[in-house]
């Protein structure tokens, strides 16, 4: 357990390593604002570290490192250890999707001379936080012939940005009387994308101008937007936060802060006794459903392929391998915010600078929806962390009756494996811009390295 703020005890060498890691982390946030972009960047880093695609391997042995990507939006990495795979793996699992606005399948329309893209929000957001922000569009458009166009507009200095408009204060008397949940309605989160009419157009001239630009720039027709995945996210880079530069402010830190530190640990720990695995998945923010969510069979199938290429697959051995595994469900915790202290139980809260956040359970109110880790497993983790001088804090989300949240932990626990939630404390969770402590990012990385290396 951390008994002192970590900034007070780090050596100069540790501070240098901390700063280097966090610079790389900010770069990861900038490169991966969508799950597709995250997987692309993860593959780039994994291949640079000696990993190869699982499907390309005919036979696998101890020391081999492989990855299996699924639909470009989820990925599992494996580092084959000395022990028989049937004895289980050490697994880090995080999610790479984040709350955002998604374009609807027929998004383009015009109203009173303005061109808009119609949106549907993804995940739990406070809708009023998304107005009057500079926004970017990321994603893919797929034509009928299967060719794919990658889109990223709003991140370069000379790019245009987009905006969800809000009512001016001078006319907002009735709006200000509404509850926060309804002060901005979901159907009003459409983004303004243009106002210049196309010369000669007889109808919807502003929308016609947008279609002309899409055709000229991307060779895209209006109908191609039906087969597109376009995500609206805050425009701009992750930045140092605070005069002391002790924090990071950026979009999507839930849960890319844990995805990055899990990946960094996976690539750092070279030789392992027990096979290590890092799962980075899509769809957690909407219940982990769908073909790329944790409820799908992609991870189970990848593990089966791995065992088959090692020469001893059977359904029973696969079941043993999963049941004998141990996992840290790498997801963020709610950092104590003194501006809103009344919703936290301070004795069980997560604090900046106190290290890796370990949560025995998540869920809401009566631990609903939680896997609730066993005491024996927590004792093993304590020893691993203490032996490696990793600072950690045992926490909960907030006061029992106030609310709660969940992770992918319960899904993996269905295999019978030991699972616990462990990640980084974050302020302003699910806001367009979230805040984390550089010290906690570093400590999470150290904790994940220790887990992959020493958990038995």
């Amino acid at each position: 357990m951390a008994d002192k703020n970590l900034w007070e005890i780090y050596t100069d060498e540790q501070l240098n390593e901390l700063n280097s890691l966090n610079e790389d982390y900010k770069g990861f946030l900038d490169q991966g604002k969508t799950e597709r972009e995250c997987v692309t960047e993860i593959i780039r880093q994994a291949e640079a570290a000696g990993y190869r695609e699982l499907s390309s391997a005919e036979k696998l042995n101890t020391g081999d490192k492989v990855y299996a990507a699924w639909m470009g939006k989820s990925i599992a990495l494996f580092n084959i250890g000395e022990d028989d795979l049937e004895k289980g793996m050490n697994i880090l699992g995080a999610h790479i999707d984040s709350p955002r606005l998604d374009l609807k399948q027929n998004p383009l329309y015009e109203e009173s001379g303005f061109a808009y893209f119609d949106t549907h929000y993804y995940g739990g957001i406070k809708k009023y936080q998304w107005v009057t922000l500079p926004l970017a569009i990321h994603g893919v458009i797929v034509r009928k012939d299967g060719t794919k166009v990658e889109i990223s507009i709003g991140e370069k200095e000379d790019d245009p940005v987009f905006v969800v408009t809000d009512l001016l204060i001078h006319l907002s008397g009735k709006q200000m009387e509404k509850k926060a949940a309804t002060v901005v309605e979901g159907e009003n989160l459409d983004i303004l994308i243009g106002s210049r009419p196309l010369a000669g157009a007889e109808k919807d001239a502003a929308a016609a101008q947008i279609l002309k630009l899409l055709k000229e720039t991307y060779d895209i027709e209006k109908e191609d937007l039906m087969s597109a995945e376009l995500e609206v996210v805050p425009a701009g880079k992750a930045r140092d936060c605070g005069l002391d530069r002790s924090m990071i402010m950026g979009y999507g830190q839930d849960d890319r802060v844990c995805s990055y530190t899990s990946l960094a640990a996976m690539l750092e720990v070279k030789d392992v006794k027990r096979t290590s695995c890092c799962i980075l998945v899509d769809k957690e923010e909407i219940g982990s459903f769908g073909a790329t969510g944790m409820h799908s069979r992609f991870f189970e199938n990848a593990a089966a392929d791995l065992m088959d290429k090692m020469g001893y697959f059977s359904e029973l051995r696969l079941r043993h391998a999963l049941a004998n595994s141990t996992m840290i469900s790498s997801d963020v915790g709610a950092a104590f915010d003194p501006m809103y202290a009344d919703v936290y139980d301070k004795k069980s809260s997560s604090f900046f600078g106190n290290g890796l956040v370990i949560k025995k359970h998540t869920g809401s109110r009566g631990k609903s929806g939680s896997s609730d880790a066993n005491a024996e497993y927590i004792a093993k983790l304590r020893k691993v962390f203490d032996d490696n001088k990793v600072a950690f804090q045992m926490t909960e989300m907030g006061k029992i009756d106030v609310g709660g949240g969940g992770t992918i932990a319960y899904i993996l626990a269905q295999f019978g494996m030991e699972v616990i939630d462990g990640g980084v404390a974050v302020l302003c969770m699910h806001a367009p811009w979230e805040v984390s402590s550089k010290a906690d990012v570093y400590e999470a990385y150290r904790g994940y390295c220790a887990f992959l290396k020493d958990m038995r």
Side-chain angles (χ1 to χ4, degrees), residues 314-376:
S314 76
E315 186 69 19
L316 183 60
R317 284 182 169 179
L318 175 63
R319 296 296 160 198
H320 288 167
L322 296 173
N324 291 331
S325 293
T326 53
M327 180 186 180
I328 295 179
S329 173
S330 311
D331 210 332
V332 296
F336 180 81
D337 189 339
M339 297 295 102
Y340 305 95
D342 60 312
V343 300
Y344 297 91
D345 173 8
K346 201 170 182 179
K347 301 183 299 298
S348 298
S349 290
S350 311
F351 291 90
F352 269 20
N354 280 22
L356 180 63
V357 172
I358 300 296
K359 293 166 286 184
K360 184 179 188 295
H361 61 86
T362 51
S364 59
R365 296 176 176 87
K367 297 187 178 181
S368 177
S370 171
S371 60
D372 206 352
N374 293 316
E376 293 87 348

